[in-house]
Amino acid sequence: MSGHPAEPWRVKMVEPLRATTREYREQAIRAAGWNPCLLRSEDVYVDLFTDSGTNAMSDRQWSALMRGDEAYAGARSFYVLEEAVRTHYGYEHVIPVHQGRGGENILSRCLLRPGTHVAGNMYFPSTRAHQELNGATFHDVIIDEAHDPDDEHPFKGNVDLGKLKVLIDAVGAGTIPYLSIAATVNMAGGQPISVANLTEVAELAHHHGIPVFLDTARAVENAWFVKQREPGWADRSITDILRALCAPTDGAVMSAKKDSLANIGGWIGLRDPELAEQARGLVLLYEGLHTYGGMAGRDMEAIAQGITESVDEDHISARIAQVEYLGRRLHTAGVPIIRPVGGHCVCVDATATLPHIPRTQFTAQTLAAAVYLDAGIRGVERGGVSAGRDPRTGENRFPPLEFLRLAIPRRVYTQSHIDLVADSVIRVHRHRDRITSGLAFAYEPSHLRFFQARFAPVRGTSIWD
Ligand SMILES: *Cc1c(COP(=O)(O)O)cnc(C)c1O
């Protein structure tokens, strides 16, 4: 008995997967510089690298593609997207961008200057990279519980208001152009923020004249956790809760590749007409005209349809239950994972799994390579490699959490795939003593280094004896 609902969809089209041998995978990961990111996708059996843009679209989304209006200016599809965002997220000004980071670039360029400060509930790599490129310093004001993999706090994405007040007092509200709040917090393992906390954060920020921008990539998943866990919300619809999360904020940056069940796209949502005008001006330079922002008309149609499907209660509960199921299987078998299980991923605590591999040898990167070797499953490192170097000191940053993230694409894999993943990760954990070497950089890119970095085993020719 699986203990979770059967998938609320049936398969209409299939994409074959190719099984590989252990020898083949050993060669493939070596050729990829021990970085699963550099593997070819056809060499991967179950791809849990990301839930971003890897969603299976519905028959209705594929039909919507045919309605795409590819006019350069004023396309009908733009107004369809605008209406869907206004209805579900509640932002008046909707500016399309090619994907989330396009929006981060625009917002950062509009508001940040050298010497400014941005605070948020833990960093996200592309978000912080754009903030730092524009001269700002990012400050993490998430609650301490978020950094403890075993803490069962129901809202590990919450902001510590005390930390936020200390920061405002220290640097002055005038040097903080905005707060950058995420729902859910990806880097903490998909942990939600409560409506109450977000509302209080916005009140404090607004009291100091600081606007709040929400990263809504997984705000629907966040809404589901609010419904389950936050007093007073159990009887409200996901649609209502999503609106309640957005209501106290001044705007949002959205990657439609997550919640919205699309393969590409994003938008910026704003309330301030002047800021919206400034943002549209920059979108013209960096993305495309302000009524397509780097997307095809059909992409905007697929996102609009995806937004309405994303808030469907059967969809969202089955989606999160599948993630929870994988987490439960690993936890029951004694694999150390971040608790509680988040909305889009299961995170295996790498330092607890491989205590004999020091963090200077990139423990989670090593675990990611080992999990690929075992059965062709691809996850991603979230730890020292992802954190990069401090731009001022040039030193490696080692965040408190060092984990292997297994992100589950929406509506893509079945129960048997998830069981295969659980079996493999449990096997790697049982054989952890045979993972005898960590990794060192063979090539280190300067930005978002986890994507293109290459490594070599520190000792011997493999990580596994
Ligand atoms: C994916 C993501 C982004 C960036 O969006 P892209 O569409 O990948 O550019 C920003 N924030 C969060 C929380 C994300 O998960």
Side-chain angles (χ1 to χ4, degrees):
M1 210 181 66
S2 70
H4 75 76
E7 293 81 359
W9 36 262
R10 57 183 170 187
V11 177
K12 188 173 253 178
M13 189 187 283
V14 297
E15 180 181 2
L17 295 175
R18 192 170 61 121
T20 52
T21 61
R22 171 79 182 227
E23 293 68 42
Y24 183 92
R25 292 193 292 275
E26 181 91 39
Q27 252 182 348
I29 192 74
R30 195 181 300 278
W34 300 90
N35 186 355
C37 193
L38 297 178
L39 289 165
R40 287 174 181 240
S41 116
E42 59 182 6
D43 292 341
V44 174
Y45 195 66
V46 177
D47 202 346
L48 305 185
F49 187 75
T50 179
D51 64 326
S52 177
T54 52
N55 307 301
M57 292 210 295
S58 67
D59 51 355
R60 276 137 241 217
Q61 283 177 291
W62 282 100
S63 313
L65 293 180
M66 295 303 296
R67 292 199 298 267
D69 176 356
E70 307 304 341
Y72 192 90
R76 187 178 62 240
S77 305
F78 164 71
Y79 296 101
V80 171
L81 173 66
E82 182 184 59
E83 180 59 25
V85 174
R86 281 183 179 163
T87 305
H88 288 91
Y89 294 84
Y91 301 109
E92 170 65 15
H93 300 280
V94 181
I95 305 165
V97 291
H98 80 283
Q99 61 182 81
R101 70 199 65 184
E104 291 168 347
N105 174 40
I106 304 296
L107 193 69
S108 302
R109 280 177 183 269
C110 283
L111 296 173
L112 302 180
R113 299 288 172 266
T116 55
H117 301 269
V118 175
N121 49 353
M122 207 175 267
Y123 81 101
F124 184 74
S126 63
T127 317
R128 187 177 64 186
H130 282 295
Q131 292 161 355
E132 289 176 347
L133 278 171
N134 286 282
T137 305
F138 178 81
H139 301 267
D140 183 6
V141 292
I142 203 166
I143 56 172
D144 285 340
E145 287 88 336
H147 297 291
D148 177 356
D150 299 318
D151 195 295
E152 296 270 354
H153 194 292
F155 289 102
K156 284 170 100 171
N158 279 358
V159 169
D160 183 328
L161 282 126
K163 287 186 194 172
L164 181 56
K165 284 179 194 151
V166 167
L167 178 74
I168 294 173
D169 286 346
V171 301
T175 70
I176 307 178
Y178 62 89
L179 302 188
S180 174
I181 305 295
T184 60
V185 182
N186 194 344
M187 298 301 279
Q191 302 293 335
I193 181 170
S194 69
V195 173
N197 181 258
L198 181 52
T199 306
E200 267 190 276
V201 168
E203 275 167 14
L204 176 66
H206 292 159
H207 173 74
H208 290 278
I210 304 169
V212 178
F213 293 103
L214 193 61
D215 184 327
T216 42
R218 296 182 189 80
V220 176
E221 291 172 2
N222 198 112
W224 190 87
F225 285 116
V226 167
K227 189 176 166 90
Q228 308 306 311
R229 300 178 185 171
E230 187 166 353
W233 292 96
D235 298 329
R236 303 288 292 277
S237 68
I238 295 297
T239 303
D240 282 354
I241 303 170
L242 180 61
R243 291 286 300 245
L245 283 164
C246 297
T249 68
D250 300 272
V253 174
M254 177 67 173
S255 167
K257 304 173 70 172
K258 321 287 168 60
D259 270 349
S260 298
L261 298 159
N263 299 126
I264 193 70
W267 45 264
I268 306 171
L270 297 169
R271 300 195 201 282
D272 175 0
E274 275 172 42
L275 179 58
E277 215 35 53
Q278 191 190 351
R280 285 188 195 101
L282 287 181
V283 161
L284 286 176
L285 282 175
Y286 293 103
E287 300 287 304
L289 198 72
H290 62 277
T291 54
Y292 75 85
M295 285 186 281
R298 54 183 171 272
D299 299 328
M300 295 191 277
E301 294 277 353
I303 294 169
Q305 173 63 27
I307 289 174
T308 63
E309 293 177 17
S310 72
V311 295
D312 177 85
E313 315 248 340
D314 287 342
H315 159 71
I316 191 68
S317 48
R319 188 284 186 279
I320 297 196
Q322 191 181 45
V323 178
E324 168 68 26
Y325 172 73
L326 175 60
R328 201 162 59 234
R329 277 214 54 198
L330 297 183
H331 184 59
T332 309
V335 178
I337 59 167
I338 297 183
R339 306 273 308 149
V341 175
H344 69 291
C345 61
V346 175
C347 299
V348 182
D349 184 342
T351 35
T353 305
L354 302 176
H356 53 291
I357 306 290
R359 292 195 67 187
T360 49
Q361 295 180 16
F362 305 117
T363 321
Q365 188 73 35
T366 306
L367 184 60
V371 165
Y372 174 71
L373 280 175
D374 182 70
I377 293 152
R378 170 156 71 171
V380 69
E381 190 264 8
R382 284 299 188 222
V385 178
S386 297
R389 290 178 186 272
D390 187 306
R392 273 166 313 175
T393 65
E395 292 297 315
N396 275 319
R397 292 188 267 220
F398 288 105
L401 295 178
E402 171 89 20
F403 57 83
L404 167 66
R405 186 189 73 180
L406 303 168
I408 317 286
R410 296 165 190 78
R411 307 191 293 207
V412 171
Y413 292 114
T414 62
Q415 164 91 18
S416 19
H417 290 118
I418 300 295
D419 276 324
L420 178 141
V421 172
D423 292 342
S424 172
V425 174
I426 292 167
R427 201 162 43 236
V428 171
H429 181 253
R430 287 211 183 108
H431 294 171
R432 58 193 180 277
D433 292 344
R434 297 184 48 197
I435 298 164
T436 50
S437 172
L439 296 165
F441 275 113
Y443 162 63
E444 183 188 347
S446 52
H447 291 293
L448 298 180
R449 62 186 186 176
F450 55 94
F451 281 130
Q452 288 170 301
R454 301 181 69 85
F455 301 86
V458 172
R459 248 174 306 117
T461 56
S462 182
I463 58 164
W464 201 312
D465 80 4

